[in-house]
Amino acid sequence: MIFETHAHYDDDAFDTDRDEILRLLHEKGIAPIVDIGASVKSTEEAFLLAHKYDHVYAAVGVHPSDSADLTEKDIEWLKGLTEDPKVVAIGEIGLDYHYDEPDKEIQKKWFVRQLFLAKETGLPIVVHSRDAAADTLEILSRDEFRGLKGIIHCFSYSFELAKKYVEMGYLIGVGGVVTFKNGRKLHEVVRQTPLENIVVETDCPYLAPEPYRGRRNSSAYLPYVIEKIASLKGLSYEEVRRATYENAAALYGVRKDE
Ligand code: NI
């Protein structure tokens, strides 16, 4: 089995064949799958998918790019969802300074608020951080958030930073980008990060690995990611598959036995 730690099957890109894909993935041994909320609407849909499929679980949370209209009422609603056994994480939450909106202070406010939610509920976090290395590290390093566990998803920074996160107890999420020719920085991160701190993810429908780059991604392509990690680290496919499965199962607290 392969553990898919980060997918968005609630996305419109899967409207025509969502059920077929999720059923096929299970047959192909890709399970569990964690469907990650990114807005109020997608969190709602992730929650429904998790209840429709035995092998699908949900992360509930609001992505920084969708945080502009958040209210304390939404946080209370998220908190209510966390009482459900199929909700396994708070995410994706974080900071995205790639675009100017929403304002950095608004993004930080809701990132911090959702980190407190993770702390209150004891759930791990799924962190999205893009062009925001310093502020993400500063916030996650605060005393009040020490002891939180989670995944730094679609890791795009240097090995030095990956090392800091590993020392803090975080896992590094590796996806399709690792197969790209221009993925040198990430190759270095993968080579040097201990296997016990790596999990695999797709972020589908985005970021399909080679040879499918640019097309709609799906968890069926995770073997390409595992293969690339294995080759970068000089390990077998099976060693990487098993370790990334165990790392994810321990973090999310769920497994679909092999
Ligand atoms: Ni995502």
Side-chain angles (χ1 to χ4, degrees):
M1 307 291 264
I2 293 175
F3 202 125
E4 160 70 287
T5 63
H6 192 120
H8 299 284
Y9 285 106
D10 54 90
D11 194 279
D12 296 351
F14 296 106
D15 276 356
T16 55
D17 55 357
R18 179 176 296 113
D19 289 308
E20 195 189 342
I21 289 189
L22 286 171
R23 192 170 39 76
L24 276 174
L25 287 173
H26 195 211
E27 284 168 18
K28 284 184 175 201
I30 300 186
I33 292 170
V34 180
D35 199 87
I36 309 278
S39 62
V40 166
K41 182 170 169 276
S42 70
T43 288
E44 217 159 33
E45 288 167 0
F47 187 82
L48 292 175
L49 281 180
H51 280 272
K52 190 166 181 190
Y53 294 95
D54 181 56
H55 64 299
V56 177
Y57 294 82
V60 301
V62 176
H63 185 286
S65 302
D66 270 289
S67 63
D69 300 323
L70 270 178
T71 63
E72 194 53 36
K73 228 175 131 187
D74 296 320
I75 301 295
E76 283 308 308
W77 173 73
L78 289 173
K79 191 176 174 184
L81 295 181
T82 64
E83 285 163 24
D84 190 283
K86 294 222 75 179
V87 173
V88 294
I90 303 294
E92 55 188 289
I93 59 174
L95 302 172
D96 192 325
Y97 296 168
H98 189 71
Y99 303 105
D100 294 335
E101 301 281 325
D103 187 82
K104 288 179 183 177
E105 292 310 313
I106 291 175
Q107 294 192 33
K108 283 194 218 171
K109 173 184 168 183
W110 293 109
F111 181 32
V112 166
R113 183 64 189 89
Q114 293 179 93
L115 288 172
F116 276 114
L117 179 62
K119 204 176 149 173
E120 275 170 58
T121 58
L123 288 175
I125 54 175
V126 178
V127 178
H128 170 100
S129 176
R130 187 181 187 196
D131 298 344
D135 283 0
T136 309
L137 182 66
E138 183 274 311
I139 290 172
L140 290 176
S141 303
R142 291 180 189 173
D143 279 351
E144 56 263 45
F145 302 133
R146 208 167 284 162
L148 281 182
K149 293 207 171 359
I151 298 170
I152 312 297
H153 134 75
C154 196
F155 193 83
S156 58
Y157 301 126
S158 66
F159 171 66
E160 288 64 40
L161 196 50
K163 194 167 171 242
K164 283 198 178 120
Y165 281 120
V166 164
E167 283 164 6
M168 290 161 72
Y170 286 98
L171 302 176
I172 303 298
V174 177
V177 176
V178 77
T179 66
F180 297 174
K181 280 207 185 74
N182 53 0
R184 264 214 311 270
K185 197 164 62 168
L186 181 59
H187 293 168
E188 192 55 26
V189 168
V190 168
R191 268 193 212 103
Q192 300 213 45
T193 301
L195 187 57
E196 54 269 30
N197 296 98
I198 294 176
V199 291
V200 294
E201 61 175 33
T202 56
D203 205 21
C204 66
Y206 311 106
L207 297 171
E210 293 289 1
Y212 300 101
R213 189 173 181 178
R215 297 210 230 156
R216 184 182 75 169
N217 197 2
S218 108
S219 314
Y221 299 154
L222 279 172
Y224 295 97
V225 173
I226 294 176
E227 220 164 78
K228 183 69 187 188
I229 296 172
S231 100
L232 286 166
K233 296 184 85 61
L235 299 168
S236 72
Y237 177 93
E238 183 51 22
E239 282 172 293
V240 174
R241 185 206 60 76
R242 189 183 309 129
T244 54
Y245 186 98
E246 293 301 333
N247 299 340
L251 179 78
Y252 285 133
V254 291
R255 56 189 307 130
K256 286 287 152 206
D257 258 305
E258 311 185 57

